[in-house]
Each structure stands twice: as C-alpha cells, then as structure tokens.
Amino acid sequence: MDGPTVKMINQPLLPHRFEITDLPTYRDTARAIKVMTVRGAGAIGGTAGYAMAQAALEARDAHFGEDMALAAEIVSATRPTAQNLFYAVRRVLRAIEAEGSDVPKARQAAVAEAQAIADDDAACCEAIGRHGAELIQDGFRLSTHCNAGWLAFVDWGSALSPMFVAHRQGKKLFVFVDETKPRGQGARLTAWELLQEGIDHAIICDNATGHYMRTGQIDMVIVGSDRIAANGDVANKIGTYSSAVVAKANGIPFYVAAPTTTIDPDCPSGNDIPIEERDQDEVRKTWGWSDDGEFLAVRTAPEGSPARNPAFDVTPAEYVAGIITEKGIVPATPEGIASVARKD
Ligand code: MRU
C-alpha cells in the first residue's frame, strides 16, 4: 500500500508482461479480486485486508460504522470460496471495533491490521516451506495443480514453498505442472515461478497427470487449498479431486499445503464449502499473447454450446496424506485440523 493506493501485480498479463496496477479506492481493490487481477487464497486474503484498510481511510467520520459495514459486504461478495478473504475482513473489522468510537485511531488500526495480515501470511508460508521440505527427498518427481506459489500468497506460497526450500537446500527436483484449465494458472504462473527459481519442470495437460502417475513417474503430489473444512476435506482448484483419486489408486502420497488461515472451523465438511461458478466463456475461449504482442481471446467452442465452469472442487479427507501448515504437518482428520485451527 502506498498512501491510500494499493499496488499489485496484474496477474492475467503474466507470464508475458509484468505490470503493476494501481488501485486508488477500496472498490477498485475489491473489483481486482473479483476479476482475478489478483488470485490465490493468501493473496486474496492480503488484498481483502488492504481493501478494508482503504475503506477505513475513505469512510465518512459521521457514518464510519455504516460505511465499514457496506465495505465488508462488498469485499466479502467478490469471491465465495477462499476462506482467507473472510478471515481478513473479520480481522480488520475486529481491529476497528477495538478502538471504540475513536475514528482516527480506528483508521490507523485498520491499516496496521492489513499490514499484519500480509506479514503473517508471508511468515506462515515460509514455515510451510520448511516443514514441507522435510517430505521431499533428493531426486523426487513432484506434481502440483494450479498455482500456489508466491503469486498466490504474499510471499513463498503454500504448495510450492516446500519445493522452493528443498531446491535451495540443494535437493534435485522435477515438477510436473498441471496446465490447470480453464484459466491456466499452472501453465501461466506456476511454470513462470519455477523458471524464476531455476527448478526443472514440465507443463502437462491436466489429463496427462494420471498417465505419469500410473507409469511410476511421480513420487509425491503437493497442492494448495482455498478452504479446509473441520473434518479435513479440502477445496482446491477444479481438477484437484481427480488428481487425488488417481494418486491414491497408485499409492502416491497426496499432500495439501495451506496456512491455518485457510481452515474454516465453522464448515463441518467439504459439502458445506461454497463452490464458485465462473463465466462460461472461460471454458469456451482461450486467451494469450499473439506473436505480434497483442493480448487476444479466441473462441475454441461452437457459438451455441453452453459450458459449465466450477472453479473449485472438494477432495475428501481420505485422499489426503497430510496437511502441511505453518504449525507442522497434521493428519486430515477432525483431530488434526482442530489441533492447528485458529481461534481468531
Ligand atoms: O481461482 P484462483 O486462481 O484464485 O484459485 C485459487 C488457487 O490458486 C488454487 O486453488 C490454489 O491451488 C490454492 S490457493 C493458493
């Protein structure tokens, strides 16, 4: 945040163009979450915290409570699945409430809390990297789905953080990167992050993962999560469930990495996690850069065909070998989740 302006990487332009977007108001920042200028659970949470801080700076003195309640509603309505978003909104509101009716202090508290949420996220992800790296042996061939690296968080990432740490420890790794249709977070973002980190990898079509698992070419899967239910069920990018089932069928350990801010203790099971349904055209079109440097969307499906586009799916706890959190690796069971779940 620079004064009242939030600055962020414009992720849909990656990997071909690196641009920073300025978001002067909280409504601009909320819109950036909605249209996925920023995406990934931790990055969405960090951004939501800053949107709430901007709202506190913009709110009218005489209508402060009312304006903040509206801002909380607008920010919370941007995307339904990532628990980190709701966690961040709640944390900033609580920090404001603690200042009672002192509006200038409430504004300061909101900005400080947004910064604290972002700092916590980076620290959690760094710890996830340290714990997760212990699972990775020299020479491992890993698989991941979607993007749960530093772009999806404030820093480090969740699923990719153990790979970054293991690589820095000198272990040799190879990562199979699921392309992650329809928005291509794997091909566009995870591959780009692994390139920057110097980690060997190959992008594969989502439907090639099973082939590499069955033929013994994958030793371990690590994915991120957008929300973890109290019973250990895990919501993550659409396609995760299929990868988990095939991994189990082939005896491959399937780990989920997430900060405890992703746990929703009020969600009894995966069936209670709201699954976002996005625009049909994300499936019917594809987009990217032409050789002439133009950013283009091209239609791949027939004009008249409808499409369905769930953005996430739920992997039942029984498929998950463990949850790598900043507090350590816990089983995906009600007891395991309760042992690390936050009280805030
Ligand atoms: O729709 P997105 O890109 O916001 O999806 C979220 C994700 O990046 C993934 O589901 C990820 O694996 C877990 S969140 C870092």
Side-chain angles (χ1 to χ4, degrees):
M1 199 166 171
D2 184 6
T5 299
V6 167
K7 290 176 176 282
M8 64 170 57
I9 299 168
N10 189 337
Q11 295 197 33
L13 301 184
L14 289 172
H16 303 291
R17 190 172 295 174
F18 185 92
E19 243 178 58
I20 301 290
T21 299
D22 283 2
L23 305 161
T25 71
Y26 91 83
R27 286 175 192 266
D28 295 322
T29 306
R31 187 165 180 282
I33 299 173
K34 196 178 180 71
V35 303
M36 293 175 69
T37 304
V38 61
R39 35 64 49 201
I44 290 173
T47 305
Y50 284 121
M52 291 298 288
Q54 284 178 299
L57 298 176
E58 290 167 36
R60 297 164 298 173
D61 279 6
H63 298 275
F64 191 77
E66 193 187 313
D67 287 358
M68 288 312 297
L70 176 64
E73 212 174 285
I74 288 173
V75 175
S76 300
T78 50
R79 294 194 70 190
T81 306
Q83 170 64 8
N84 302 60
L85 185 154
F86 306 100
Y87 171 81
V89 169
R90 203 171 55 232
R91 245 180 91 165
V92 175
L93 284 180
R94 232 184 258 143
I96 286 173
E97 274 160 31
E99 300 303 335
S101 54
D102 189 332
V103 170
K105 274 200 165 160
R107 288 199 171 99
Q108 275 176 16
V111 173
E113 197 65 12
Q115 187 60 48
I117 292 166
D119 292 344
D120 277 2
D121 186 76
C124 288
C125 288
E126 194 264 337
I128 286 170
R130 275 187 283 110
H131 295 303
E134 289 173 21
L135 298 168
I136 299 176
Q137 294 173 27
D138 191 30
F140 255 24
R141 297 149 308 168
L142 296 126
S143 156
T144 192
H145 191 72
C146 197
N147 171 257
W150 24 264
L151 288 163
F153 287 84
V154 175
D155 204 355
W156 287 97
S158 56
L160 296 192
S161 184
M163 304 184 201
F164 299 150
V165 172
H167 176 69
R168 286 170 199 200
Q169 290 169 342
K171 292 176 190 164
K172 190 159 172 43
L173 327 174
F174 186 88
V175 185
F176 286 94
V177 179
D178 289 354
E179 183 187 15
T180 319
K181 284 285 190 184
R183 290 193 60 112
Q185 289 95 331
R188 293 166 195 269
L189 306 177
T190 297
W192 187 68
E193 289 185 358
L194 292 169
L195 260 185
Q196 308 300 312
E197 299 275 341
I199 297 177
D200 287 344
H201 63 280
I203 301 163
I204 55 172
C205 299
D206 297 327
N207 43 14
T209 312
H211 163 72
Y212 286 107
M213 289 184 178
R214 196 192 65 76
T215 52
Q217 299 184 63
I218 292 176
D219 300 301
M220 179 187 281
V221 184
I222 311 180
V223 298
S225 174
D226 298 274
R227 197 183 296 215
I228 299 173
N231 70 344
D233 291 351
V234 167
N236 193 48
K237 182 54 59 193
I238 191 75
T240 302
Y241 171 56
S242 324
S243 170
V245 171
V246 182
K248 185 158 185 166
N250 288 282
I252 300 166
F254 184 95
Y255 282 93
V256 172
T260 54
T261 44
T262 300
I263 295 172
D264 181 357
D266 298 328
C267 214
S269 84
N271 294 333
D272 307 295
I273 299 176
I275 301 294
E276 178 180 15
E277 178 92 24
R278 294 188 62 86
D279 195 280
Q280 296 182 49
D281 274 345
E282 289 187 351
V283 175
R284 297 188 300 195
K285 292 180 177 175
T286 191
W287 71 100
W289 297 88
S290 74
D291 288 344
D292 302 328
E294 216 185 328
F295 193 61
L296 294 174
V298 292
R299 178 176 290 282
T300 49
E303 252 344 305
S305 289
R308 300 289 299 272
N309 187 14
F312 302 97
D313 61 24
V314 169
T315 298
E318 68 198 84
Y319 294 98
V320 178
I323 313 248
I324 310 167
T325 76
E326 74 277 13
K327 298 179 184 171
I329 303 170
V330 296
T333 58
E335 300 72 29
I337 299 298
S339 70
V340 291
R342 292 186 176 227
K343 305 284 178 262
D344 60 346

